[in-house]
Amino acid sequence: MNQGPRNAMPQAKVFVEGRYRKLCRDLPQTVFFCPECKGHPRRRKGCERCEGFGKLTRDSVQELIGWVAGAAFKTRKNKFHGAGREDVDVRMLGAGRPFVLELVNPKVHDVDLAAVEAEINRRNAGRLEVVGLHWTEKNRVRVIKETPHAKEYEARVHAEGPIDPARVAALVGVRRTIVQQTPERVAHRRADKERERWIEFLAFTPVEGTPDWLVRMRTQHGTYVKEAINGEGGSTRPSLAELAGVPCTCVELDVLAILDDQGEPEPE
């Protein structure tokens, strides 16, 4: 049974921590405001980009967790701090991604976190699951956000021609350095520069009856995985497409595990 925070006096902020598993491909981590109107109450009314909605998705991991937790703590204000983030169309599987939810000016403090977790999962079956929700402290926000994590992924890769199984088998288990120029899709929010990252392919499994392959890999924190597969016209070298000798596209991507900075499982 969950115990309340040690300090029973009213607090301006309360922090709870857990992991989330994202089971669908249409869910951003945080609120996805329209880039044109920014969700502003007046500007969004005539916004053609979002058709007055103010957001580009109907909900987010932050909202689905925050709506339930906020109702329990009697506050509408929260901040979501994740250990990195995945793209909207990428699932977060395995043990989940660590996060801290910061609840601002709660009116209720004696909250059963097990009941909050169960309600989040009940309301979002098949889309989102929260595990291990527990009380935490403010300093965990810095740790969660600043600790670098390698990741393990599985990608469904579409190849535009036959791939030599022996050629990709030779790639398995070799940790290699790649150089990535900032991809076009994030150029509006990332500095345009070259970054060196390591990547290690773990397995290549052909998808029967298709030209596709399931590719498992581990990558360093900050690796642009989709570009590590397709090469984006040479902006990532060497890419999987270059190493396999066939143009490749990432069709679907899943995060399987959040690892330590060296690519090893974190201690329980």
Side-chain angles (χ1 to χ4, degrees):
M1 182 175 178
N2 284 288
Q3 300 295 318
R6 294 179 183 176
N7 184 0
M9 297 297 291
Q11 303 172 45
K13 295 179 180 179
V14 168
F15 299 85
V16 296
E17 182 175 349
R19 288 174 174 254
Y20 73 82
R21 301 177 68 243
K22 197 179 82 177
L23 310 176
C24 59
R25 301 189 186 279
D26 63 350
L27 196 61
Q29 185 189 86
T30 53
V31 183
F32 197 175
F33 288 115
C34 172
E36 298 297 328
C37 68
K38 315 296 184 186
H40 190 278
R42 288 194 300 272
R43 290 198 299 268
R44 74 184 192 186
K45 291 181 180 179
C47 182
E48 295 181 359
R49 177 76 179 271
C50 66
E51 298 181 341
F53 188 51
K55 301 186 294 182
L56 295 189
T57 60
R58 63 189 177 95
D59 47 30
S60 62
V61 172
Q62 176 182 3
E63 290 165 295
L64 296 180
I65 295 173
W67 288 332
V68 176
F73 282 92
K74 295 293 186 292
T75 178
R76 294 184 178 182
K77 297 180 179 180
N78 66 75
K79 296 179 181 179
F80 191 91
H81 309 282
R85 64 172 66 219
E86 66 287 323
D87 289 344
V88 173
D89 61 347
V90 175
R91 295 187 300 181
M92 178 65 242
L93 306 179
R97 186 182 295 274
F99 72 90
V100 170
L101 184 68
E102 177 181 344
L103 296 129
V104 182
N105 294 326
K107 295 182 175 63
V108 174
H109 297 267
D110 185 16
V111 171
D112 183 347
L113 295 187
V116 171
E117 178 180 307
E119 179 62 9
I120 292 168
N121 295 341
R122 184 192 70 80
R123 292 174 62 165
N124 300 290
R127 297 192 75 211
L128 176 73
E129 182 179 39
V130 169
V131 293
L133 198 64
H134 61 276
W135 302 101
T136 193
E137 304 292 339
K138 180 179 179 180
N139 63 359
R140 284 293 294 166
V141 172
R142 180 183 57 81
V143 174
I144 284 284
K145 293 185 74 67
E146 295 182 6
T147 301
H149 293 278
K151 319 292 190 308
E152 184 170 326
Y153 293 91
E154 182 173 79
R156 180 164 181 152
V157 175
H158 176 74
E160 294 184 17
I163 291 180
D164 180 358
R167 185 166 181 171
V168 292
L171 302 177
V172 173
V174 179
R175 183 169 294 189
R176 55 179 42 82
T177 298
I178 63 174
V179 178
Q180 295 194 295
Q181 193 75 28
T182 303
E184 290 184 9
R185 64 187 174 93
V186 299
H188 63 287
R189 55 186 172 89
R190 293 284 188 270
D192 184 17
K193 64 180 184 179
E194 287 189 344
R195 298 170 175 83
E196 286 192 358
R197 295 291 186 264
W198 61 256
I199 186 169
E200 181 179 350
F201 295 106
L202 304 177
F204 292 85
T205 306
V207 180
E208 188 174 354
T210 77
D212 296 357
W213 292 68
L214 294 179
V215 180
R216 281 182 52 231
M217 70 195 90
R218 289 179 179 170
T219 70
Q220 187 177 353
H221 170 81
T223 303
Y224 296 107
V225 178
K226 294 173 182 176
E227 287 73 20
I229 292 170
N230 63 41
E232 198 179 45
S235 64
T236 291
R237 298 197 68 181
S239 64
L240 176 58
E242 181 179 347
L243 294 168
V246 177
C248 294
T249 305
C250 180
V251 178
E252 292 179 341
L253 187 62
D254 296 327
V255 185
L256 301 183
I258 306 295
L259 309 169
D260 69 17
D261 195 34
Q262 299 305 309
E264 299 298 327
E266 291 191 307
E268 296 290 336

